[in-house]
Amino acid sequence: MDWKNKVVFLTGASSGIGEALAHAMARRGAVVGLLARREDLLKELAAKCEQSGGQARVLAADVTDADAVAQAAKALRDEFGAIDILIANAGIGGNNAETRNLNPAAVAKVININLLGAVNAVAAVLPEMLEKKSGQLVAISSLAGFRGLPKSAAYSASKAGMTAFFESVRLDVQAKGVSVTIIQPGFIKTPLTSGRANKMPFLMELEDSIPYFLRAVEQRQKFAAFPWQLATFVRLARIFPAWLYDATVGRATFRE
Ligand SMILES: NC(=O)c1ccc[n+]([C@@H]2O[C@H](COP(=O)([O-])OP(=O)(O)OC[C@H]3O[C@@H](n4cnc5c(N)ncnc54)[C@H](OP(=O)(O)O)[C@@H]3O)[C@@H](O)[C@H]2O)c1
């Protein structure tokens, strides 16, 4: 796939994976629409993207605001004609005491951003993609969505929901020219995972992870899970009986 002049609508662009991905796509000549709440960071990133040979537009918005996300997508389409790729990446870990103690409002916040925010982004681009009979929807889900993880009830639920949502959408749109790619990373060093006291298994450097994201999009993979060691364990753990799952995964302390 040639990234040159591909128009990408990227949510969660202001830090971590989104920021690194935006820069990598811009270096390859893409047009990147950068959506997140922190406008100052997006402006700095847009300047870097333009210096690297791409084009970038700052689209400051909150993914939980469906109208604002729709307007951002429209602004990108109005200027560049069409959006080729949506990367629904905005997300929070929700690893604060409130989420762990199952404060319903804190859980709702994680679900609203991670799952319903991605739904808002899909709704903002899908009708035009279907009309054009082309486009790609990309979900940045997580290995945390395969099965419930300890101290991660809200996050695991949001990512399981995200994976299921995008897979369902794929069944409905793939015959109509729109492809769906669900990316399920393990642990990557970003602000989301920083500050955790305990070891995260197979933690990846951010820069090392970017080729995996790019390849999954370029090859229009239906699913891409990495790193392979953790992805293999998580796939296996899916068929563990509950006693074995509790005895192994239940003891994990990576969220502390
Ligand atoms: N890091 C990992 O180990 C890992 C592993 C698997 C999956 N993921 C997923 O990868 C995605 C990116 O995570 P990251 O690690 O790069 O975290 P990060 O550095 O904290 O970045 C999160 C991004 O999401 C944006 N965001 C958060 N709430 C938003 C909202 N309400 N509206 C718009 N944008 C919002 C943030 O921007 P603003 O604050 O400026 O709005 C930021 O740009 C997340 O969906 C995460 O679940 C991460």
Side-chain angles (χ1 to χ4, degrees):
M1 187 190 108
D2 185 4
W3 286 94
K4 201 158 179 46
N5 300 324
K6 281 276 179 316
V7 180
V8 185
F9 185 44
L10 170 67
T11 73
S14 63
S15 87
I17 295 165
E19 179 187 6
L21 206 47
H23 200 211
M25 294 186 297
R27 279 200 301 272
R28 288 161 176 75
V31 176
V32 284
L34 308 171
L35 188 144
R37 293 164 302 179
R38 287 170 291 175
E39 193 167 9
D40 291 355
L41 294 182
L42 293 181
K43 283 181 179 162
E44 280 172 32
L45 174 62
K48 277 191 210 156
C49 288
E50 300 254 342
Q51 278 159 19
S52 305
Q55 291 188 73
R57 293 294 178 269
V58 170
L59 307 165
D62 188 317
V63 287
T64 63
D65 181 343
D67 290 341
V69 177
Q71 275 171 29
K74 183 176 181 304
L76 200 59
R77 265 194 311 267
D78 285 350
E79 185 173 356
F80 296 100
I83 292 171
D84 299 302
I85 302 169
L86 160 71
I87 304 183
N89 165 72
I92 58 171
N95 55 349
N96 50 53
E98 282 193 330
T99 308
R100 289 186 183 180
N101 294 333
L102 294 189
N103 171 339
V107 174
K109 185 177 174 191
V110 175
I111 306 276
N112 270 334
I113 294 175
N114 294 7
L115 175 57
L116 299 179
V119 173
N120 289 338
V122 171
V125 301
L126 188 56
E128 284 74 16
M129 287 183 176
L130 289 173
E131 204 175 298
K132 265 186 22 183
K133 297 187 175 55
S134 86
Q136 184 176 12
L137 306 175
V138 181
I140 308 301
S141 186
S142 171
L143 289 178
F146 273 66
R147 246 181 121 159
L149 291 178
K151 298 189 169 65
S152 312
Y155 187 72
S156 274
S158 74
K159 292 301 183 180
M162 193 183 194
T163 298
F165 177 81
F166 277 80
E167 182 155 49
S168 286
V169 169
R170 186 181 72 231
L171 297 175
D172 296 337
V173 303
Q174 62 186 353
K176 298 173 184 167
V178 178
S179 62
V180 177
T181 295
I182 299 165
I183 304 181
Q184 296 160 299
F187 299 104
I188 301 170
K189 265 192 210 169
T190 68
L192 187 141
T193 49
S194 71
R196 295 190 189 175
N198 286 355
K199 203 169 166 249
M200 287 168 271
F202 306 105
L203 178 66
M204 294 178 88
E205 293 295 332
L206 179 56
E207 279 311 315
D208 294 342
S209 73
I210 295 306
Y212 291 88
F213 290 98
L214 292 175
R215 199 173 314 128
V217 179
E218 287 163 1
Q219 297 177 352
R220 292 182 179 254
Q221 292 174 14
K222 291 185 181 182
F223 282 100
F226 56 85
W228 69 268
Q229 301 93 327
L230 195 59
T232 304
F233 177 79
V234 168
R235 283 196 190 101
L236 260 178
R238 213 175 195 178
I239 55 165
F240 281 6
W243 65 266
L244 180 57
Y245 188 74
D246 294 358
T248 51
V249 181
R251 291 207 313 263
T253 57
F254 54 80
R255 294 282 286 198
E256 288 158 16

